[in-house]
Structure formats: structure tokens, C-alpha cells
Amino acid sequence: DDPEKQRLTVVEWAPKVLLEHHIAAGLSDGSVSIMVYNEGKAVLAAMNVDVPEAERLTRPRGAVTALRFSPDSLWLAVGYTCGHIDVLDALQSYKWAAVCPPAEL
């Protein structure tokens, strides 16, 4: 096994975002890929979560451990091994919208 190779860690299906179905895939390097399925065609669009630089410099994300679309499929929550959760806007090409820091126990 190549330790530098990305590995699939989690997959989530959004029933419908407007007229398309979206499938999100979380990877071991902290990136997220989105597959768009529309009219019998599937297109894979690899993307990086657009986290603001100040946020990115203060925390390592680690692997994606959880993905969940909102009930209306308009938001995607991305959980990481560091405990943070990023919230992405599906209608804005999965632009970063907010972060939830890990809870302190």
C-alpha cells in the first residue's frame, strides 16, 4: 500500500439538487469529490473544499470521516478526523459556508 495514495473513506448520496443527483466522496487526504448524475450521464468533478486561508492555516483537517447532505440536498456537511465539520453550499458549486469546531468534552 502506498501511504501517499488517496483512499475513499466515505460516500453520501443527495437524492436531488435541482434537476441533478449528486454523490459526494470523501478521501483520506481531506479532499471531497462530487459526481453529478443527470439525464443518464455521470460526471466526476474532483474538488477541494474552499476553506479560507486563515482557517486552513490554523487546523489540519485530516481524512474525511463523515458526509451528510441536508434533507433538501442544498448543504453538505463534511466531517474530518480533527473533529471539525465544514458546511458547503451545493447551489454555489460546494463553496465553503461555515465551520463547526469540535466539541470540548
Side-chain angles (χ1 to χ4, degrees):
D1 282 336
D2 182 357
E4 298 297 316
K5 190 174 182 178
Q6 298 176 19
R7 289 177 177 69
L8 181 67
T9 56
V10 63
V11 175
E12 172 73 359
W13 167 272
K16 218 160 210 194
V17 178
L18 298 178
L19 300 175
E20 306 168 328
H21 296 278
H22 290 193
I23 301 169
L27 302 172
S28 58
D29 69 351
S31 64
V32 175
S33 293
I34 303 295
M35 180 179 288
V36 178
Y37 182 81
N38 189 10
E39 298 182 19
K41 290 195 262 184
V43 177
L44 180 63
M47 56 163 277
N48 290 317
V49 176
D50 182 25
V51 177
E53 185 176 1
E55 186 71 32
R56 187 173 52 248
L57 294 175
T58 60
R59 67 173 166 106
R61 290 193 313 249
V64 175
T65 57
L67 293 168
R68 182 72 62 202
F69 280 98
S70 62
D72 59 8
S73 299
L74 299 180
W75 303 95
L76 176 63
V78 182
Y80 302 93
T81 54
C82 69
H84 285 83
I85 300 169
D86 287 326
V87 180
L88 311 179
D89 184 343
L91 291 181
Q92 299 294 318
S93 300
Y94 293 92
K95 184 176 179 183
W96 186 82
V99 64
C100 301
E104 293 187 26
L105 301 175

